[in-house]
Amino acid sequence: MAANNELDPIMGSSYFLQKFKLYETESNFYMVGRDKSRMLWRVLKIDRLEATELNIGEDATTYSQIECSDLLKRIDEGNKSTGGLKFVTACYGIVGFVKFLGPYYMLLITKRKQIGAICGHSVYAVTKSEMIPLPNSTVRATMPFSNNENRYKKLLSTVDLTKDFYFSYSYNVMRSLQKNLCDGETRKVLYETMFVWNEFLTRGIRNHLKNTLWTVALVYGFFKQARLSLSGRDFNFTLIARRSRHYAGTRYLKRGVNENGRVANDVETEQIVFEDVAEGSPIQISSVVQNRGSIPLFWSQETSRLNMKPDITLSKKDQNYEATRLHFENLVKRYGNPIIILNLIKTREKRPRESILRTEFANAIEFINKDLLEENRLRFLHWDLSRHSRSKATNVLAVLGRVAANALDLTDFFFCEVKQELGPEETIKSPPHETSDACDGSPVTHFDDNVESADSSETFPGEESGETQGNPLVKPLRCQKGVLRTNCIDCLDRTNVAQYAYGLVALGHQLHVIGFINVPKIDLDSRLADNVMRFYETMGDTLAHQYGGSAAHNKIFSERRGQWRAATQSQEFFRTLQRYYSNAYMDGEKQAAINVFLGNFQPQQGRPALWELDSNQHYNADSMSTYFKRSFSENLLSEKNPNSPSTAVGEKKLPGSPLLERTQGSNKRFSDSTPEISTCESEVSYNRHTPSMADRRLFPDMRSNQILDDDSFSCSNFVDLELISSSGTSCEEESYERSELIKSSLSGMSTDDVLNPSPSNSGSSIKGRTQIGEESSSKTVDEFSDRFADWVNCGETLCH
């Protein structure tokens, strides 16, 4: 038998407890955990006699299976007088511990299913969970009763762990492949990263035991993996989305940025590609990361049951854009330079809404860039996707593809070739000049989609960890430095289209470096492009449900596939209604549940309940966590998250961040003569005064790459807009006004027009057909389509 510190993964070993059984006596819970090989067994004891404290003890001994059985028998014999030792449940790990106004509860995963594997390490989804009170029934009977206790329990249960949460025992799925394979951070520290949603729930046990043997780190977002084929060769394609737990919530209740530079709906998207190779052969693997997040300004929209398009309110609280600066400093810390911003919101509106944010975001970027060295400046492209998509969806994807190619040239992507037998704790040793991360690899094995119940002893191939001596690197590393950050108004619908375009361009380069294709490009019309589009479409729907309450608006994807126009419009309309209903009637409770799960709100006796707070207190619960702290159990549940800054706006800086390497000169806010993008008369709340000025004066230092559209002010400092739109399919040639679009008749359309109609044109489209058939049928469908077009256009801004 070995001592605990010789086998603890925090100390560098490669074993992980993966299956557990929970037993109880009158005075204690006993959890027995074992590794995959059934060679190592550990025991955890949890006190059941304490009413309000969390008392946990870990046996320092590592047992064999026989020794562990003998130990349980002795425990049973010693507790015969009070009922002995009873089996409670089998499980797959502890999600965490939570306390409301009464006892502590333990959250367990009781069923799981394998949804994929990365480098030989299995990734699982939760299919069933259970909440178990810690004190025994006698102790609970002596505790004061509160009517709010059951309400808090019910509220927490609305966070459905069986939807879109995933985890891995041996792979740090909360981080990108590139970071995992060079960074030696311990798993305990990694629990505190921004993508582990049960960080608060596990904080007590992690701080007490100083390890993560008994808990699982849950990531919230999206995970999908499949084997795709190109020219008869198979490769594994994995798409991952990780949602940040900072400033997390629902659409209208979490907008923009908070004082710490955290933005709403911050999602890291990773695309991993690797080949199928024979056992024992080196494996080539590649990944690329992109980011989406809310516009990093202080802005909001008040949810309304009467108005489907509520006004946008822009706050003037951050005159020097310090929160915006903090956000981009955080991005540099996470990904390095350059930071490339793809801003897709509208420029021209009959009633300015998005365009207000467009103006202010452009001002913020320019203000921040003035103090940065040229090589560290934020790169940006402002491009009105909504307007351009009224022309041809295929043109939009082509233009976005050319933008993506330019961005990928600046950031590059991750690639390496490694030995298959690399163990879970081993990292690649980068050359001295490399500062980026590296990768390990072993093949993703075949897996089924069957749910594994907690008492199953089935072994999935590829889960056992191996050990390798020496550097496993076979080929030189290729590392990503910097990131593309995309946003529309909600970072849902338009953003998802742009992320697909970037992913497809990146996939061409990934397959090229692996050796699957001779030219690093994938045709938009290929079957592979269609398969990848469905991946991103599914991801978009999942993220949209989480943040917006409905599936994403996939009009561009639908038209790309040649879907019937009337069907597309009806689908968009009903999704608009579903999103409106969710935002107006469901999001309040959903936001409250998230705040409790993340620990942003912690109930306390004598303090107002969560549902008694006014809207401002409720919706901004992130900043209230220091007020509603529990006075007990401070020895286990530390009150401050070391990963969450608590300084005021402008106080926190990231030392050594390249974003902070500024040019010499003044660091002052724009004066009253600050130029802005001219807009129409505004009926929205706009609390910062920025007098108008000619568009061309907003970015005076941009000459070669700046292209000023006569009505949409598309501009960039990293891509030549004239070049990307000069292939004969330029959206610039399309008039913005709806009256101009209506002038063309169905009979005068080209085949491309029929396959990709603009929203205001009547008629239907089926791929490969230019008419429906009989004239009467065509007229009926035209009228039906027009009515749906009006409905959908009415909620267009809400949709996006």
Side-chain angles (χ1 to χ4, degrees):
M1 293 180 291
N4 178 33
N5 60 0
E6 294 178 0
L7 292 170
D8 194 305
I10 299 300
M11 305 303 293
S13 84
S14 58
Y15 92 99
F16 302 89
L17 302 182
Q18 299 191 18
K19 296 187 179 180
F20 308 84
K21 289 187 177 181
L22 183 67
Y23 301 87
E24 67 175 0
T25 64
E26 186 72 12
S27 57
N28 292 292
F29 279 118
Y30 293 92
M31 180 170 283
V32 178
R34 64 170 177 83
D35 69 343
K36 188 65 180 180
S37 65
R38 307 175 73 96
M39 297 293 293
L40 304 171
W41 299 71
R42 299 290 295 274
V43 178
L44 184 72
K45 183 171 71 172
I46 305 171
D47 187 4
R48 302 189 68 203
L49 299 179
E50 175 57 52
T52 59
E53 298 293 331
L54 180 61
N55 294 326
I56 302 176
E58 184 180 34
D59 193 334
T61 305
T62 300
Y63 297 94
S64 67
Q65 183 173 3
I66 295 177
E67 291 169 337
C68 190
S69 297
D70 291 340
L71 174 64
L72 295 177
K73 290 179 181 178
R74 293 197 300 271
I75 295 174
D76 179 52
E77 292 172 358
N79 289 272
K80 285 294 186 183
S81 60
T82 56
L85 183 70
K86 301 176 183 178
F87 174 76
V88 179
T89 185
C91 61
Y92 287 102
I94 299 174
V95 173
F97 296 87
V98 65
K99 176 177 172 52
F100 307 118
L101 300 172
Y104 268 98
Y105 300 88
M106 177 168 53
L107 280 68
L108 301 176
I109 297 173
T110 54
K111 288 187 180 180
R112 70 181 185 186
K113 69 176 179 181
Q114 188 177 1
I115 57 175
I118 301 175
C119 300
H121 304 288
S122 297
V123 178
Y124 299 94
V126 180
T127 57
K128 188 177 181 181
S129 62
E130 188 172 349
M131 181 187 297
I132 299 175
L134 293 190
N136 61 41
S137 56
T138 302
V139 174
R140 294 201 304 273
T142 64
M143 299 178 67
F145 175 77
S146 171
N147 290 326
N148 289 336
E149 180 74 11
N150 288 334
R151 189 167 178 178
Y152 277 118
K153 287 175 60 179
K154 184 178 179 181
L155 183 66
L156 186 66
S157 67
T158 62
V159 180
D160 191 351
L161 298 181
T162 67
K163 289 185 178 180
D164 310 324
F165 283 93
Y166 53 93
F167 66 96
S168 175
Y169 300 104
S170 56
Y171 180 80
N172 297 322
V173 74
M174 74 288 290
R175 301 203 304 173
S176 68
L177 180 69
Q178 179 170 316
K179 287 185 177 180
N180 273 333
L181 299 170
C182 85
D183 192 341
E185 291 284 356
T186 65
R187 288 180 65 84
K188 181 177 182 295
V189 172
L190 293 179
Y191 268 67
E192 298 169 0
T193 58
M194 63 189 297
F195 299 119
V196 177
W197 273 57
N198 60 331
E199 184 278 330
F200 166 74
L201 297 176
T202 61
R203 194 184 301 168
I205 182 174
R206 287 184 292 108
N207 289 343
H208 188 67
L209 301 181
K210 308 301 180 185
N211 67 46
T212 59
L213 280 175
W214 305 93
T215 59
V216 297
L218 292 180
V219 180
Y220 186 43
F222 177 80
F223 185 100
K224 183 175 176 62
Q225 186 176 81
R227 184 167 296 157
L228 303 180
S229 179
L230 180 65
S231 301
R233 296 178 63 184
D234 292 339
F235 65 92
N236 291 277
F237 183 88
T238 306
L239 188 61
I240 304 173
R242 307 175 180 96
R243 290 193 66 190
S244 171
R245 62 182 171 86
H246 299 305
Y247 204 49
T250 56
R251 185 174 177 231
Y252 284 138
L253 306 184
K254 293 295 180 182
R255 290 290 223 200
V257 69
N258 68 8
E259 288 82 358
N260 297 320
R262 302 291 187 176
V263 296
N265 204 25
D266 190 336
V267 183
E268 178 181 271
T269 302
E270 182 177 19
Q271 179 175 291
I272 301 175
V273 176
F274 59 94
E275 60 180 342
D276 274 333
V277 295
E279 185 176 352
S281 301
I283 183 172
Q284 298 182 89
I285 188 166
S286 173
S287 79
V288 66
V289 172
Q290 53 182 317
N291 175 265
R292 69 171 77 184
S294 188
I295 299 171
L297 301 169
F298 286 102
W299 64 282
S300 62
Q301 277 181 291
E302 289 295 330
T303 181
S304 171
R305 297 182 180 183
L306 302 177
N307 185 6
M308 293 183 67
K309 299 166 62 177
D311 290 343
I312 291 175
T313 301
L314 179 62
S315 172
K316 60 180 180 180
K317 64 186 294 184
D318 189 11
Q319 293 289 335
N320 294 317
Y321 302 115
E322 291 299 336
T324 308
R325 190 190 303 276
L326 282 174
H327 171 67
F328 287 117
E329 287 175 0
N330 178 261
L331 286 181
V332 172
K333 183 178 180 180
R334 287 155 59 185
Y335 303 110
N337 274 316
I339 303 300
I340 304 171
I341 301 163
L342 177 55
N343 179 26
L344 303 173
I345 61 178
K346 295 178 181 178
T347 300
R348 286 189 54 178
E349 300 167 292
K350 292 181 179 179
R351 181 182 181 184
R353 300 173 68 257
E354 295 186 19
S355 53
I356 297 294
L357 294 177
R358 166 77 168 268
T359 303
E360 192 69 356
F361 195 18
N363 286 342
I365 294 171
E366 178 69 0
F367 182 71
I368 292 171
N369 273 346
K370 282 185 175 181
D371 294 329
L372 297 178
L373 299 174
E374 184 175 356
E375 61 269 22
N376 295 328
R377 288 179 180 172
L378 302 172
R379 317 294 179 92
F380 60 86
L381 169 61
H382 299 288
W383 196 69
D384 188 341
L385 175 59
S386 180
R387 170 182 173 253
H388 291 299
S389 65
R390 291 191 179 97
S391 172
K392 296 180 179 180
T394 53
N395 289 346
V396 167
L397 289 175
V399 172
L400 287 173
R402 290 189 284 274
V403 173
N406 279 268
L408 196 64
D409 285 342
L410 292 173
T411 65
D412 209 351
F413 58 94
F414 178 67
F415 166 79
C416 69
E417 184 176 6
V418 294
K419 298 176 181 178
Q420 285 194 45
E421 62 270 19
L422 188 67
E425 293 295 322
E426 190 170 0
T427 60
I428 290 179
K429 299 171 181 60
S430 305
H433 65 278
E434 289 286 356
T435 58
S436 296
D437 309 321
C439 163
D440 74 341
S442 59
V444 169
T445 55
H446 171 74
F447 62 90
D448 57 48
D449 199 39
N450 294 328
V451 174
E452 184 180 359
S453 60
D455 56 355
S456 171
S457 60
E458 179 182 1
T459 301
F460 285 98
E463 283 193 331
E464 293 79 5
S465 60
E467 294 186 3
T468 304
Q469 295 183 351
N471 190 351
L473 189 64
V474 178
K475 283 186 178 181
L477 294 176
R478 184 169 181 170
C479 295
Q480 177 175 341
K481 298 178 181 178
V483 73
L484 173 66
R485 182 199 193 275
T486 307
N487 72 268
C488 49
I489 201 68
D490 291 314
C491 300
L492 296 178
D493 312 316
R494 287 168 283 181
T495 295
N496 204 59
V497 173
Q499 287 210 326
Y500 159 66
Y502 186 78
L504 188 64
V505 170
L507 180 60
H509 287 267
Q510 290 175 299
L511 292 177
H512 176 258
V513 74
I514 290 175
F516 270 57
I517 53 180
N518 296 325
V519 179
K521 184 178 180 181
I522 297 174
D523 196 306
L524 269 171
D525 295 320
S526 67
R527 181 179 178 183
L528 178 58
D530 185 63
N531 287 334
V532 173
M533 182 174 69
R534 294 181 186 279
F535 264 74
Y536 277 87
E537 187 174 9
T538 304
M539 179 184 73
D541 288 342
T542 300
L543 296 178
H545 270 294
Q546 294 168 9
Y547 183 64
S550 77
H553 292 275
N554 295 314
K555 178 182 176 182
I556 291 178
F557 291 155
S558 298
E559 291 185 349
R560 180 69 192 171
R561 286 194 295 268
Q563 187 171 317
W564 186 32
R565 179 172 175 245
T568 299
Q569 290 176 333
S570 63
Q571 174 181 278
E572 298 300 289
F573 170 68
F574 285 116
R575 287 183 178 181
T576 297
L577 291 182
Q578 183 182 12
R579 189 173 293 183
Y580 159 73
Y581 178 81
S582 178
N583 297 159
Y585 295 95
M586 307 296 292
D587 281 0
E589 181 178 356
K590 187 176 179 181
Q591 182 68 61
I594 291 173
N595 287 337
V596 172
F597 186 87
L598 295 177
N600 295 331
F601 178 89
Q602 301 172 36
Q604 186 177 354
Q605 293 284 1
R607 297 291 189 179
L610 183 57
W611 42 86
E612 295 173 352
L613 301 177
D614 62 41
S615 60
N616 289 330
Q617 290 174 311
H618 184 180
Y619 299 161
N620 297 288
D622 284 355
S623 60
M624 299 181 59
S625 56
T626 56
Y627 180 72
F628 289 101
K629 291 296 182 183
R630 288 195 293 269
S631 59
F632 40 79
S633 303
E634 292 181 7
N635 60 324
L636 290 180
L637 290 176
S638 61
E639 294 192 8
K640 183 174 181 180
N641 180 0
N643 203 45
S644 298
S646 58
T647 55
V649 175
E651 292 182 7
K652 181 174 178 60
K653 303 296 181 185
L654 299 175
S657 169
L659 187 61
L660 297 177
E661 297 174 9
R662 304 173 183 174
T663 57
Q664 293 183 353
S666 63
N667 179 20
K668 61 183 179 179
R669 179 70 169 91
F670 284 142
S671 65
D672 287 344
S673 62
T674 300
E676 77 166 344
I677 305 168
S678 59
T679 60
C680 306
E681 65 278 6
S682 175
E683 299 178 22
V684 301
S685 300
Y686 182 48
N687 298 326
R688 181 180 281 129
H689 175 62
T690 50
S692 62
M693 182 178 290
D695 292 338
R696 295 179 184 273
R697 293 181 56 189
L698 183 58
F699 299 94
D701 59 335
M702 295 168 197
R703 297 181 178 88
S704 59
N705 289 337
Q706 178 177 331
I707 303 297
L708 293 181
D709 184 339
D710 62 347
D711 67 349
S712 73
F713 189 42
S714 297
C715 59
S716 174
N717 66 350
F718 84 95
V719 62
D720 190 332
L721 294 178
E722 206 167 44
L723 177 63
I724 65 173
S725 61
S726 61
S727 60
T729 59
S730 174
C731 295
E732 307 296 332
E733 300 172 0
E734 298 294 328
S735 171
Y736 176 83
E737 299 298 331
R738 183 179 303 272
S739 60
E740 293 296 320
L741 296 173
I742 297 178
K743 289 179 180 179
S744 60
S745 64
L746 180 62
S747 59
M749 288 184 176
S750 65
T751 304
D752 287 340
D753 290 330
V754 176
L755 296 183
N756 302 281
S758 60
S760 57
N761 289 332
S762 61
S764 64
S765 67
I766 301 178
K767 197 168 186 177
R769 297 175 59 186
T770 58
Q771 59 183 5
I772 297 177
E774 297 181 3
E775 183 178 354
S776 59
S777 299
S778 177
K779 182 178 179 180
T780 301
V781 173
D782 287 351
E783 293 174 352
F784 179 73
S785 299
D786 285 341
R787 294 185 65 184
F788 269 117
D790 291 339
W791 289 334
V792 173
N793 290 334
C794 179
E796 185 179 12
T797 305
L798 175 68
C799 298
H800 294 299

